[in-house]
Amino acid sequence: MIVYLDDEVNCEKSYFKIIINFQSSKLFKILYLSHCLLLLFLLVSGATCSSNSSSDAEAALLAFKNELLGAAGLSSSSSSSNDPLANWVPSNNNNNNNNNNSSSSPFCEWTGVYCNALGEVDSLNLGSMGFTGTIASELCSLWSLQHLDLSNNSLSGSIPSEIGNLVNLQYMDLNSNQNLSGAIPLELFSLQDLYYLDLSYNAISGNIPSELGNLLVNVAFLDLSNNSLSGELPLELWSMTGLTELVLSTNPLTGNIPDDIGNLVNLQTLSLGTSYLNGPIPSQISRCKNLQKLDLGGSDFSGSIPDSIGELQNLTTLNLPGTKLNGSIPASLGNCTSLEILNLALNSLSGEIPEELAQLEHIMSFIVNGNQLTGEVPSWFSKWQYVSTIFLSNNELSGSIPPELGNCSNLKLLYIDNNLLSGTIPSELCNAANLDTLSLIGNKLSGDITTIFMGCTNLTQIDLSLNYLSGSIPAYLGTNLPKLLVLSLASNNLSGPIPDELWNSNSLNQIQLNGNALNGSLSPLVANLTGLGYLDLDDNELEGIIPPEIGSLSLLSYLSINNNRLSGEIPVQLCNCVQLTTLDLGSNSLSGAIPSQIGQLINLDYLVLSYNNLSGSIPSEISADFQVVAMPVSSFVQHHGTLDLSWNHLSGSIPAEMSDCAVLVELLLAGNEFTGSIPPQLARLTNLTTLDLSCNQLSGEIPEELGQSPHLQGLNLAYNNLTGSIPAQLGGIQSLVKLNLTGNHLSGGIPNELGNLTGLSHMDFSDNELSGEIPAFLSNLVSMQMLNLSHNLLSGPIPSTMGNLSGLSYLNISDNMVSGAVPEEGICLKLNASSFLGNPGLCGSVVNTACPPGEMQLLGGGGGGGPRRKFLLSTGAVLGVVMSTIIVKKWKYIYMNILIRIFLLFYLSS
């Protein structure tokens, strides 16, 4: 179509004419007036809202404060004893016309509150203030809020759903509140401007909502770690291409990592460890070219490490410990030349350490302990000039230690424990001038250490335990190594005396020389080691006395000199070492009494004085010990709650005050000369698991109160002079595993209540005077492995169900008066005749004696028989009981057997 100029001009004139006519019309005037009124309304409303927003914000903040403090106020960990929000008080100047923001919005001056130019709250920084309350929903009316930090408090409750009202929120940090719980509110995902979200270290549960990936498109930092989130990772998560940090570790998440992980091309940190995620590590992870930190440790992944990880050339940290990976270490990792930390520990990796890793010129930590690696320790480690940590422990590495390791100038920690290394330790290791810790435990290293470590002046820990080192302990260990704190040479072939110079060290805190052939005496110079906290000299050939000077070691918490040749008395001065938690002087030739001052050792919870020649009584002051489980000055590994005074010559009664030893777990007093009765107060030891009072001269009855011991697993009262019956209350100790009452004078029947001890594995009631029948409930004790009822007065048949004890490996009911057929089923078929000797009334194939016709009725208690038979049975039984009371115990069983045989012969012949 052709348009001419004149036509264009005419059209334009017509248009303006229409406009002018409309403006002069009545309709235009009405619309114009309506528009003006609307503008006026909005201006008035805005002014009203503006004037109210300050008071509304103040009210919201004050409500928020009240909920933050909670009913309990501030937590004990708060950095200030005062209220950190003390200046959050209601305003008294709401009508002030001053336009200054600080006066029109006084809350802008409150602690942790920051406002924008309009006097609106845009930031709350309230982290680490010790709050214990909840997050009030009123907070969510602060629609201008952009930054919210409530981290490192002790808040509880859930995240309010009203959080979705904070439409301008960009940054939210609620990490490390521990008690913040509930699910992630779906309303959170309407915050389109949010780029930083940290909810880590709380108790948040439920699934990770799929809405996360669809709505939070701007989030770059997402940390939900250390919560209780479960279920599988939503597929939508892998569409969040803007993510640079994704941390979901330490949650019980399941499922696998999909190939879509390669979509997160901007990702710099990925942490999914300590979860139940499984399946292989996808090779598509190599598409995350910006990845710097990859942490998948402590999950259930399978398969091998993908070779494609070698394409991640920006990777600085690769953390895959405890992920059940197998195969070899991929040589392609040598291409990750930016790697600083490589942790592949606690997997099932095999093969040799690939030489390509020598290219990791920035590596600082190389951790591959707990695998199945073979081959030698690489000499090319010397190319790692920045490496400070090398952990190679618990593998199958062989050969010698390469002296080139001394060229690693920054090496501080070297652990090659529990491998197959042999040969001598190279002195060149000391060329690594910064070497701090050297641990070579559990290898086959040999030779002496006469001069090896003289140049290692920065060493703080040396552990060469469980090797084949020989020679003497060099004196320079106490003089030339000024920083040495820990020296462990345990379980080697070292000999000779302990050099006096060792006791002159200014730094040593822990010494372990146990398991050698050291001789000589323990020098009084030991008192010079004023910082000594741990001394273990077990299993040597030390002799002489314990020097009294040892009592000046005020920091000593662990002293063990078990199994040596020490003599003399326990020095009273030793009781000045009030930090002692462990004292083990067992298996020596110590004599004299236990010093009453032992009650000064109020931190003591492990005392072993067994297998000595100690005499006298147990001092009642010992009840001041074993009150608390006290850790030593340094966190040394030890057992707690053991008091072992067994196999000495101690006498007197067992002090009832021992019931005050609240943390006592094992009370071992066997093999002494204690007399009197068993104190019933021992039942107050509620933590007691083992009570061994065997081989003493205790008398009286077994206290029924012992049945109230809730955790008792082993009760041994054998070889005493106990009388009376077996208390039925013992059947209430549900935890009991071993019960030994042999060699006493107990009488009566075996109480049926013992049938409740379903966990019992060992029962020994032999060599007593128990009577009655073998109870049928014994066949219900399915955990029973050893049952000894021999040398008693038990009668009647063997329960036919006895064969049901499938776990029984030892049964002895010899030398009783049981009769009838031995059950021929189950475990009884595997026993031999020796288990039943001295019971002439038994018959059956197990005892190689045929059962005569009718014998089951006579000796099995089945009824029948004439008056003569009943008379003979009654007479024999009465005669047996009478004679057993007048004949000494040693001959009782011989007499009873002869009597029964004569009686049976007479009866059968009749």
PDB file of all heavy atoms in Angstrom, residues 88-100:
ATOM      1  N   TRP A  88      17.490  -3.168  74.367  1.00  0.00           N
ATOM      2  CA  TRP A  88      16.251  -3.358  73.602  1.00  0.00           C
ATOM      3  C   TRP A  88      15.080  -3.035  74.543  1.00  0.00           C
ATOM      4  O   TRP A  88      14.492  -3.921  75.170  1.00  0.00           O
ATOM      5  CB  TRP A  88      16.143  -4.790  73.109  1.00  0.00           C
ATOM      6  CG  TRP A  88      17.009  -5.150  71.936  1.00  0.00           C
ATOM      7  CD1 TRP A  88      18.267  -4.720  71.679  1.00  0.00           C
ATOM      8  CD2 TRP A  88      16.664  -6.036  70.864  1.00  0.00           C
ATOM      9  NE1 TRP A  88      18.748  -5.271  70.528  1.00  0.00           N
ATOM     10  CE2 TRP A  88      17.770  -6.096  69.987  1.00  0.00           C
ATOM     11  CE3 TRP A  88      15.545  -6.778  70.545  1.00  0.00           C
ATOM     12  CZ2 TRP A  88      17.791  -6.854  68.830  1.00  0.00           C
ATOM     13  CZ3 TRP A  88      15.562  -7.556  69.392  1.00  0.00           C
ATOM     14  CH2 TRP A  88      16.668  -7.593  68.535  1.00  0.00           C
ATOM     15  N   VAL A  89      14.725  -1.777  74.654  1.00  0.00           N
ATOM     16  CA  VAL A  89      13.649  -1.339  75.546  1.00  0.00           C
ATOM     17  C   VAL A  89      12.645  -0.526  74.740  1.00  0.00           C
ATOM     18  O   VAL A  89      12.997   0.102  73.731  1.00  0.00           O
ATOM     19  CB  VAL A  89      14.197  -0.502  76.722  1.00  0.00           C
ATOM     20  CG1 VAL A  89      15.064  -1.363  77.630  1.00  0.00           C
ATOM     21  CG2 VAL A  89      14.994   0.692  76.211  1.00  0.00           C
ATOM     22  N   PRO A  90      11.393  -0.494  75.159  1.00  0.00           N
ATOM     23  CA  PRO A  90      10.374   0.273  74.428  1.00  0.00           C
ATOM     24  C   PRO A  90      10.730   1.757  74.347  1.00  0.00           C
ATOM     25  O   PRO A  90      11.308   2.335  75.272  1.00  0.00           O
ATOM     26  CB  PRO A  90       9.101   0.048  75.250  1.00  0.00           C
ATOM     27  CG  PRO A  90       9.356  -1.202  76.023  1.00  0.00           C
ATOM     28  CD  PRO A  90      10.824  -1.226  76.300  1.00  0.00           C
ATOM     29  N   SER A  91      10.405   2.362  73.234  1.00  0.00           N
ATOM     30  CA  SER A  91      10.692   3.782  73.035  1.00  0.00           C
ATOM     31  C   SER A  91       9.699   4.636  73.805  1.00  0.00           C
ATOM     32  O   SER A  91       8.513   4.331  73.859  1.00  0.00           O
ATOM     33  CB  SER A  91      10.620   4.112  71.541  1.00  0.00           C
ATOM     34  OG  SER A  91      10.697   5.503  71.352  1.00  0.00           O
ATOM     35  N   ASN A  92      10.181   5.753  74.393  1.00  0.00           N
ATOM     36  CA  ASN A  92       9.319   6.723  75.084  1.00  0.00           C
ATOM     37  C   ASN A  92       9.118   7.984  74.266  1.00  0.00           C
ATOM     38  O   ASN A  92       8.643   8.994  74.759  1.00  0.00           O
ATOM     39  CB  ASN A  92       9.940   7.092  76.440  1.00  0.00           C
ATOM     40  CG  ASN A  92       9.979   5.915  77.369  1.00  0.00           C
ATOM     41  OD1 ASN A  92       9.042   5.127  77.410  1.00  0.00           O
ATOM     42  ND2 ASN A  92      11.083   5.779  78.115  1.00  0.00           N
ATOM     43  N   ASN A  93       9.514   7.948  73.012  1.00  0.00           N
ATOM     44  CA  ASN A  93       9.507   9.173  72.216  1.00  0.00           C
ATOM     45  C   ASN A  93       8.900   8.909  70.838  1.00  0.00           C
ATOM     46  O   ASN A  93       9.445   9.302  69.824  1.00  0.00           O
ATOM     47  CB  ASN A  93      10.944   9.705  72.080  1.00  0.00           C
ATOM     48  CG  ASN A  93      10.986  11.134  71.582  1.00  0.00           C
ATOM     49  OD1 ASN A  93       9.997  11.865  71.682  1.00  0.00           O
ATOM     50  ND2 ASN A  93      12.119  11.536  71.023  1.00  0.00           N
ATOM     51  N   ASN A  94       7.764   8.209  70.809  1.00  0.00           N
ATOM     52  CA  ASN A  94       7.147   7.862  69.532  1.00  0.00           C
ATOM     53  C   ASN A  94       6.615   9.061  68.774  1.00  0.00           C
ATOM     54  O   ASN A  94       6.444   9.023  67.566  1.00  0.00           O
ATOM     55  CB  ASN A  94       5.999   6.879  69.757  1.00  0.00           C
ATOM     56  CG  ASN A  94       6.523   5.496  70.113  1.00  0.00           C
ATOM     57  OD1 ASN A  94       7.658   5.189  69.800  1.00  0.00           O
ATOM     58  ND2 ASN A  94       5.699   4.708  70.786  1.00  0.00           N
ATOM     59  N   ASN A  95       6.331  10.192  69.490  1.00  0.00           N
ATOM     60  CA  ASN A  95       5.742  11.354  68.837  1.00  0.00           C
ATOM     61  C   ASN A  95       6.775  12.383  68.427  1.00  0.00           C
ATOM     62  O   ASN A  95       6.430  13.502  68.029  1.00  0.00           O
ATOM     63  CB  ASN A  95       4.713  12.009  69.769  1.00  0.00           C
ATOM     64  CG  ASN A  95       3.556  11.069  70.069  1.00  0.00           C
ATOM     65  OD1 ASN A  95       3.106  10.356  69.182  1.00  0.00           O
ATOM     66  ND2 ASN A  95       3.089  11.081  71.317  1.00  0.00           N
ATOM     67  N   ASN A  96       8.037  12.025  68.566  1.00  0.00           N
ATOM     68  CA  ASN A  96       9.107  12.952  68.192  1.00  0.00           C
ATOM     69  C   ASN A  96       9.046  13.221  66.705  1.00  0.00           C
ATOM     70  O   ASN A  96       8.968  12.314  65.899  1.00  0.00           O
ATOM     71  CB  ASN A  96      10.462  12.328  68.561  1.00  0.00           C
ATOM     72  CG  ASN A  96      11.578  13.376  68.528  1.00  0.00           C
ATOM     73  OD1 ASN A  96      11.605  14.232  67.650  1.00  0.00           O
ATOM     74  ND2 ASN A  96      12.476  13.278  69.506  1.00  0.00           N
ATOM     75  N   ASN A  97       9.053  14.515  66.329  1.00  0.00           N
ATOM     76  CA  ASN A  97       8.943  14.885  64.927  1.00  0.00           C
ATOM     77  C   ASN A  97      10.296  15.007  64.252  1.00  0.00           C
ATOM     78  O   ASN A  97      10.364  15.367  63.070  1.00  0.00           O
ATOM     79  CB  ASN A  97       8.185  16.212  64.790  1.00  0.00           C
ATOM     80  CG  ASN A  97       6.742  16.069  65.224  1.00  0.00           C
ATOM     81  OD1 ASN A  97       6.116  15.057  64.947  1.00  0.00           O
ATOM     82  ND2 ASN A  97       6.216  17.108  65.906  1.00  0.00           N
ATOM     83  N   ASN A  98      11.362  14.745  64.983  1.00  0.00           N
ATOM     84  CA  ASN A  98      12.687  14.839  64.388  1.00  0.00           C
ATOM     85  C   ASN A  98      12.816  13.813  63.274  1.00  0.00           C
ATOM     86  O   ASN A  98      12.423  12.669  63.420  1.00  0.00           O
ATOM     87  CB  ASN A  98      13.746  14.584  65.476  1.00  0.00           C
ATOM     88  CG  ASN A  98      15.135  14.983  65.029  1.00  0.00           C
ATOM     89  OD1 ASN A  98      15.480  14.824  63.851  1.00  0.00           O
ATOM     90  ND2 ASN A  98      15.919  15.502  65.971  1.00  0.00           N
ATOM     91  N   ASN A  99      13.357  14.232  62.152  1.00  0.00           N
ATOM     92  CA  ASN A  99      13.484  13.339  61.001  1.00  0.00           C
ATOM     93  C   ASN A  99      14.695  12.426  61.082  1.00  0.00           C
ATOM     94  O   ASN A  99      14.891  11.575  60.219  1.00  0.00           O
ATOM     95  CB  ASN A  99      13.552  14.158  59.698  1.00  0.00           C
ATOM     96  CG  ASN A  99      12.223  14.828  59.400  1.00  0.00           C
ATOM     97  OD1 ASN A  99      11.176  14.289  59.709  1.00  0.00           O
ATOM     98  ND2 ASN A  99      12.290  16.027  58.817  1.00  0.00           N
ATOM     99  N   ASN A 100      15.534  12.608  62.097  1.00  0.00           N
ATOM    100  CA  ASN A 100      16.718  11.749  62.247  1.00  0.00           C
ATOM    101  C   ASN A 100      16.264  10.307  62.470  1.00  0.00           C
ATOM    102  O   ASN A 100      15.413  10.034  63.311  1.00  0.00           O
ATOM    103  CB  ASN A 100      17.562  12.235  63.442  1.00  0.00           C
ATOM    104  CG  ASN A 100      18.868  11.468  63.553  1.00  0.00           C
ATOM    105  OD1 ASN A 100      18.833  10.309  63.921  1.00  0.00           O
ATOM    106  ND2 ASN A 100      19.968  12.129  63.260  1.00  0.00           N
TER     107      ASN A 100
END
